Structure formats: structure tokens, C-alpha cells
Amino acid sequence: MLEEVERWLSTRSWSVTDRPLHQIMAAKQRTGQTVSVVLPALNEEETVGDIVSVIRHDLVRQVPLVDEIVVVDSGSTDRTSEVAAAAGATVVHRDEILPRLPALPGKGEVLWRSLLVTRGDIVCFIDADLKEFSSDFVLGIVGPLLTEPGVDLVKGMYDRPLGGAAGQGGRVTELMARPLLNMHWPQLAGFVQPLGGEYAARRSLLEQLPFPVGYGVELGMLVDALHLVGLDALAQVDVGVRKHRHQDGQALGRMSAAIYRTAQLRLARGHLIRPSLTQFERGQEGFEPRTYSVDTEERPPMTEIPEYMKRKAA
């Protein structure tokens, strides 16, 4: 491990218990910064309501840390929108945001568009499929942004159990993202959960970053933020245990392909020879190929979008 990373681990890796709530609230009052929580959601009616309810109870009603909770629905066919609204979130459909640009499928697309419908100086992203959710996820990753002026982006780190086994979740992280980062961006080797969906950043940083529209968004954001603001502006906080719905192996393969493509573009800014991935499923006549396209689109920094700049100037 690089000496720079060892130093970073001792100065920019914290636990949620390192910052008492009263210290965080005092910093928020002193600086006047506002906090938006964004949940990208697609068919998450079973979990999204509980997450919103916990945040509202702990961090809106008991203490005014969070100023708005926005659920961006990316085309759910279940009751995700209704459940989220009933729990107290502002619900916006992805296609209603910046309608002049037809929406592309993918998580990164939703996160990018969320900047147009939120106001917070700090934007906190939380996946909508988390189970047994704790408000420590929000408190932990927002805290350093309020108390440490030099920090611009904070990732959550946590245990990810799989099938009852501790630490076995995050298979794409271990098989794809971590090797890529260690080999090509060794300054980022200290991140425990580089692909984790729980992180917060200053709007002033997010609006300068391009957003891969699909699963590559987390890796792309880390790499681009490293180049833009440097390692010391990045941090991570231990928030405990993350439980969520796990995807099957083939879905993880497609995710890995998108992440590799995101890394490839940042390494060479070249073109993919074949932006697709073929996988196999056993059918009645043996193994049958299934070919999926790999995400090849990225959205530009928000500062290049006239509607965003017009709203920002208002």
C-alpha cells in the first residue's frame, strides 16, 4: 500500500461514533449548510418506506439535520412512489426531470437528474433496498462534510453479509472494482466499499462531475473526484452493517462489465470495440446465449446544463 494511502487511512477514515450528534448539529447551525437525502428507487416498495420513515423520525423531527428527502422513481411498476410519499418523502419521477433529454436506463442517470430537483449544499445518496436501516448511515457520511471544511466526498463503509456469512457481500467490489483501483488508481486502494451506494458530497463537487448513467457511476465518481479535488478531500466512515437484496451472478456480470467500461474510458478515453456482454443460461436445448448492451453513455457535468445554471442563478 502506498505511504500516502496509509496516511489517508489514519486521517480520513472514521467511525460514525467519532462525531457526536450535537457536534454535527452545531456545525450545521454555524455554517448554515443544508442537506438533501436522495433515494434512487426502482420497485422498492418493501423497503423504501421504512428508510424514509427512519430518516424523517431521527433526522428531521428529533433533530433538524436533513432538510429534504427526495425519492426519484425510475419507472417502478409496484407501489414504490405511493409508499415513499406516504412515509413523507418528496417523490419525483425520473422522466419529469429535464424532459428535453429522454431518460436513459440506469442508476447513474437517476442520481445525475436528482441534482435538478434538490437544493441542499450537501447531497446524500442512499440506496432504496436497504433492510434494517439505521439513520447512522446518513449521520455518518454527512457529518464530516459539516465538520471538516477540507472534505468534499464521503463514502460509507460497512460489513456486507451474504447468506448469513459475514463479509461475503460486495462480490463485484472484490472481483472487479478493487483490482482495478489497486492497479490503476492506487491512491483509492484504501476505500473499503468503493462501489457502495451510500455516500454524500458537496453539491459544488457533484455539479462538476460527469455521471456514467449505469452501474459505473460509483467508480467513475471516485476516480473523477480524485483527479478534481485530490485524495485528502475524500473520506470514508464506518456505519456498521449493510443488509440489502442481493442480485444473481448474471446480474453481477453485467454490473462488472459496466464498471470495467467506466474504468476503460477513464484510462484511455478511447472507444469500446464491442460494448456488449454475452452470458449463458441453460435452456431446453442446452446453454443459450443472452447478449446485453453495456452502458456506454455518460451525462455531462451539471454546470454544462443551461436549466441547472439558470436555477442556480435564481
Side-chain angles (χ1 to χ4, degrees):
M1 183 177 289
L2 296 177
E3 184 176 330
E4 180 183 7
V5 176
E6 292 182 350
R7 179 190 55 78
W8 179 84
L9 282 169
S10 66
T11 60
R12 287 291 186 262
S13 288
W14 297 297
S15 167
V16 65
T17 58
D18 289 338
R19 287 174 180 77
L21 179 58
H22 68 83
Q23 178 185 348
I24 295 173
M25 291 305 301
K28 176 179 168 68
Q29 185 174 17
R30 183 177 65 254
T31 62
Q33 296 179 90
T34 53
V35 177
S36 300
V37 174
V38 173
L39 282 74
L42 177 63
N43 295 328
E44 304 294 356
E45 66 176 2
E46 294 183 4
T47 51
V48 68
D50 289 339
I51 296 171
V52 171
S53 294
V54 168
I55 296 172
R56 276 185 55 80
H57 177 269
D58 294 356
L59 303 179
V60 176
R61 292 173 179 163
Q62 288 197 336
V63 293
L65 176 65
V66 172
D67 297 281
E68 62 177 349
I69 307 171
V70 178
V71 171
V72 183
D73 191 329
S74 57
S76 298
T77 56
D78 65 2
R79 298 182 62 253
T80 290
S81 291
E82 293 86 345
V83 171
T90 298
V91 179
V92 185
H93 195 282
R94 174 200 62 195
D95 297 349
E96 297 172 353
I97 307 170
L98 202 61
R100 71 174 176 85
L101 288 181
L104 297 168
K107 177 184 178 182
E109 176 83 351
V110 174
L111 301 184
W112 182 73
R113 289 178 185 255
S114 75
L115 297 181
L116 273 159
V117 293
T118 53
R119 294 282 184 179
D121 302 303
I122 294 169
V123 183
C124 173
F125 298 119
I126 300 290
D127 280 350
D129 66 341
L130 302 188
K131 303 174 182 177
E132 301 177 28
F133 179 77
S134 167
S135 58
D136 280 352
F137 275 73
V138 175
L139 190 65
I141 58 181
V142 167
L145 293 165
L146 289 168
T147 60
E148 304 285 339
V151 172
D152 290 332
L153 185 149
V154 181
K155 297 280 294 190
M157 58 177 169
Y158 28 66
D159 292 320
R160 296 183 67 179
L162 175 64
Q168 296 302 307
R171 291 162 287 173
V172 175
T173 293
E174 299 304 327
L175 296 175
M176 175 60 70
R178 200 176 307 286
L180 281 172
L181 292 176
N182 275 265
M183 288 187 290
H184 299 297
W185 297 281
Q187 287 178 294
L188 298 174
F191 277 94
V192 175
Q193 298 290 352
L195 300 185
E198 289 67 49
Y199 50 98
R202 300 190 192 281
R203 177 177 295 272
S204 57
L205 171 62
L206 293 172
E207 66 188 14
Q208 297 181 69
L209 298 176
F211 276 62
V213 300
Y215 286 121
V217 63
E218 275 83 22
L219 183 134
M221 189 177 295
L222 262 188
V223 171
D224 293 341
L226 174 68
H227 290 298
L228 191 63
V229 295
L231 182 60
D232 281 343
L234 313 180
Q236 61 184 352
V237 175
D238 187 348
V239 293
V241 179
R242 184 186 197 268
K243 297 181 180 180
H244 66 112
R245 182 186 67 251
H246 292 282
Q247 300 194 54
D248 62 35
Q250 293 210 333
L252 297 180
R254 297 190 290 274
M255 186 185 303
S256 297
I259 290 165
Y260 178 76
R261 169 261 170 192
T262 300
Q264 181 193 47
L265 289 183
R266 277 152 181 78
L267 285 168
R269 292 296 172 183
H271 298 285
L272 285 173
I273 296 174
R274 180 175 178 266
S276 59
L277 173 72
T278 299
Q279 297 176 319
F280 294 87
E281 297 178 8
R282 183 182 290 280
Q284 294 181 349
E285 300 180 0
F287 285 102
E288 301 174 355
R290 299 283 188 273
T291 300
Y292 302 88
S293 61
V294 175
D295 297 323
T296 57
E297 298 288 340
E298 293 197 7
R299 292 303 192 185
M302 268 293 171
T303 51
E304 297 179 13
I305 302 299
E307 290 91 336
Y308 182 81
M309 298 307 293
K310 182 178 179 180
R311 192 200 71 160
K312 189 177 180 182

